[in-house]
Amino acid sequence: MLAPLALAQFICSFAGSNMNVMINDISHDLDTTVQGVQVAITLFLLVMAALMIPGGKATDRFGRKRCFLTGLAVYGVGALLSAAAPGLGVLILGNSILEGVGTALLIPPVYILTTLLFTDLTSRARAFGVIMAAGGVGAAAGPLIGGLITSAISWRAAFVFQALIIALIIALSRSIADPLPPDPDRHFDVRGAVLSAAGLILIVMGILAADNNLWLMLGLLAAGILVLAWFLHWIRREERAGAEPLLSTSLFRNRTSNLGLVTQNAQWLLLMGTSFTVATYLQVVRGYDAIETGVIFTAATLGLLVSSLAAERLAKRLPQRTLITAGFALAVVGIAALISLVAGTPSAWAFVPGLLLIGLGLGVMLTPSVNVVQSAFPEDRQGEISGLSRSVSNLGSSFGTAIAGTILVANLTKNAYAAAMASLALAALIGLASATRLPRSTPPANAPTPPRT
């Protein structure tokens, strides 16, 4: 029952990072630029983030398993279309749009079903540990697997690989039972969905415009903020009228959940930002091919695997706050190593210590951050909080690629690489500060489930 859920998280995370090692191959084959490929990668992450809240809400109306299978089908079509793409436009349609929409439909059910099917905190922590390990390994190992496939066959074969995994997940999903029946009469806030998606898209597009036009960037950011303010006004109005908005404002009144969401955003910003920045620097500046770049990222994959395998034992002994704080501390040290060691030597080995530490840190903190947020709400709120949680995480992924990527692509030099990594260090410090403010009483995973109110 857990296998298809974990595989779904793996392939979606894999899709977000494996293209990083194909940048040169795709840009040459499709006659585009590094910035064009960056836009495709960022748009994929952005579509996920923008539609994750509506996707989570849709599970209440249409059913969790139905949304899961529909998302898998849409994703599979997008992967096959990307494999056959004759140009950047079709690649964006297949990868950025269809795979992004499919992911937004299938990922919220993964976390809702896990929360509903594993009812005590210990088994839930174990299940989330497996899923988050699969997601983290997918993101960290994406460059290696993508590099191997690209070097051995073609970058197009990497999308065929994704379609094959999707087919396997659909076959395995027959064993999943939806614990709650769908409610076809449940209200779906269409206007709220449009406003939330539009606001997030404008903000990330503003960041992407930073290296081309400062005024355009400021205009897009201002428009995004205004649209999100309109969205908040709309959902408050819906609540006052007794209607069901896309997102209840009460979700933001839980201090522990809010801090957990900040840590999730920072974690995925760090993971995807590091993946894009290091992979682009290795290929464009140092001239490494896809497989060489992927092999270097093995250090991050190994670190994430080691800490993920120990996550269950650590969760039984230590509060979740301690694990999240320790994870960010390791990541900050890892970024410092990536900046200082790379500046001091041209050797590829200079990247290994930093990537290893970042992988170790992420493996330690990904699971407790999710568990802190999901366990803060009862079953009838899981659709909302799961969509919000995944949207925040994927928005972090978008920010990581957009912010660090924009700094790097604007001026592909060693100094730009250091500046991009410094921006990621700042995000990690924000996550660390948020983690230290989590309640001291946040229980370890073997503590009894707190009563729901």
Side-chain angles (χ1 to χ4, degrees):
M1 185 167 56
L2 191 57
L5 302 179
L7 271 176
Q9 180 62 77
F10 168 84
I11 200 63
C12 292
S13 299
F14 169 85
S17 68
N18 84 113
M19 278 180 66
N20 292 336
V21 298
M22 308 175 191
I23 292 171
N24 280 341
D25 296 86
I26 292 176
S27 60
H28 292 154
D29 193 15
L30 301 185
D31 193 25
T32 185
T33 62
V34 171
Q35 189 177 32
V37 180
Q38 181 205 5
V39 168
I41 295 171
T42 304
L43 284 178
F44 166 70
L45 299 169
L46 176 57
V47 169
M48 283 196 296
L51 299 182
M52 204 66 75
I53 295 175
K57 197 72 172 179
T59 61
D60 295 326
R61 182 169 183 172
F62 302 107
R64 285 133 293 275
K65 184 174 181 178
R66 183 181 298 174
C67 287
F68 183 63
L69 292 175
T70 302
L72 288 169
V74 173
Y75 188 107
V77 172
L80 292 175
L81 185 61
S82 300
L88 183 62
V90 177
L91 179 67
I92 288 176
L93 174 62
N95 175 249
S96 307
I97 307 301
L98 291 180
E99 288 192 26
V101 170
T103 302
L105 284 173
L106 72 91
I107 286 298
V110 169
Y111 290 83
I112 299 169
L113 289 168
T114 302
T115 304
L116 297 178
L117 294 172
F118 299 89
T119 54
D120 66 280
L121 204 58
T122 302
S123 63
R124 187 180 296 164
R126 184 181 301 117
F128 276 134
V130 172
I131 290 171
M132 295 311 299
V137 169
L144 175 60
I145 299 173
L148 289 171
I149 295 174
T150 300
S151 298
I153 310 174
S154 163
W155 64 268
R156 298 178 186 275
F159 287 102
V160 177
F161 168 76
Q162 293 180 44
L164 292 174
I165 297 296
I166 291 295
L168 174 61
I169 297 170
I170 292 175
L172 292 173
S173 299
R174 291 177 299 177
S175 63
I176 297 177
D178 197 334
L180 295 176
D183 183 1
D185 298 323
R186 190 80 175 259
H187 173 68
F188 186 82
D189 183 6
V190 176
R191 182 180 294 187
V194 172
L195 289 174
S196 65
L200 294 176
I201 289 171
L202 286 169
I203 287 176
V204 176
M205 293 305 293
I207 296 171
L208 287 173
D211 61 326
N212 291 325
N213 190 317
L214 182 61
W215 289 109
L216 177 61
M217 178 196 76
L218 294 175
L220 289 171
L221 290 177
I225 292 170
L226 288 174
V227 172
L228 289 179
W230 185 7
F231 167 66
L232 291 174
H233 171 74
W234 169 255
I235 62 176
R236 289 193 185 108
R237 176 182 168 183
E238 287 284 278
E239 285 181 325
R240 285 194 297 267
E244 183 181 2
L246 179 72
L247 204 61
S248 173
T249 56
S250 63
L251 291 177
F252 299 102
R253 297 182 192 134
N254 187 307
R255 180 175 180 272
T256 300
S257 173
N258 288 342
L259 292 170
L261 289 172
V262 174
T263 64
Q264 286 185 21
N265 183 275
Q267 288 162 10
W268 286 95
L269 189 156
L270 175 62
L271 177 55
M272 300 307 297
T274 300
S275 177
F276 182 86
T277 301
V278 175
T280 304
Y281 179 73
L282 286 171
Q283 292 174 89
V284 179
V285 177
R286 293 205 171 181
Y288 287 35
D289 62 24
I291 192 168
E292 289 171 332
T293 303
V295 168
I296 292 172
F297 271 94
T298 304
T301 307
L302 289 175
L304 216 152
L305 274 174
V306 169
S307 54
S308 295
L309 290 173
E312 183 182 346
R313 293 193 298 274
L314 292 172
K316 290 179 179 179
R317 298 176 183 177
L318 298 169
Q320 296 178 93
R321 163 181 152 162
T322 302
L323 295 175
I324 300 170
T325 303
F328 275 115
L330 282 171
V332 171
V333 175
I335 294 174
L338 277 176
I339 295 174
S340 58
L341 294 180
V342 170
T345 175
S347 172
W349 288 103
F351 292 88
V352 171
L355 290 174
L356 178 64
L357 287 170
I358 291 174
L360 287 169
L362 288 168
V364 166
M365 62 181 166
L366 283 174
T367 299
S369 285
V370 171
N371 213 13
V372 161
V373 174
Q374 297 289 146
S375 299
F377 296 92
E379 289 181 359
D380 61 350
R381 308 297 299 278
Q382 287 301 311
E384 283 183 296
I385 191 57
S386 179
L388 177 61
S389 172
R390 295 304 87 209
S391 179
V392 167
S393 296
N394 284 290
L395 190 60
S397 298
S398 301
F399 282 156
T401 305
I403 296 172
T406 298
I407 293 171
L408 181 69
V409 172
N411 184 20
L412 284 165
T413 64
K414 187 179 293 185
N415 291 335
Y417 162 80
M421 294 306 302
S423 70
L424 298 176
L426 177 60
L429 289 172
I430 293 172
L432 177 61
S434 300
T436 59
R437 297 181 63 194
L438 285 167
R440 293 181 181 274
S441 58
T442 303
N446 62 342
T449 306
R452 286 172 174 167
T453 58

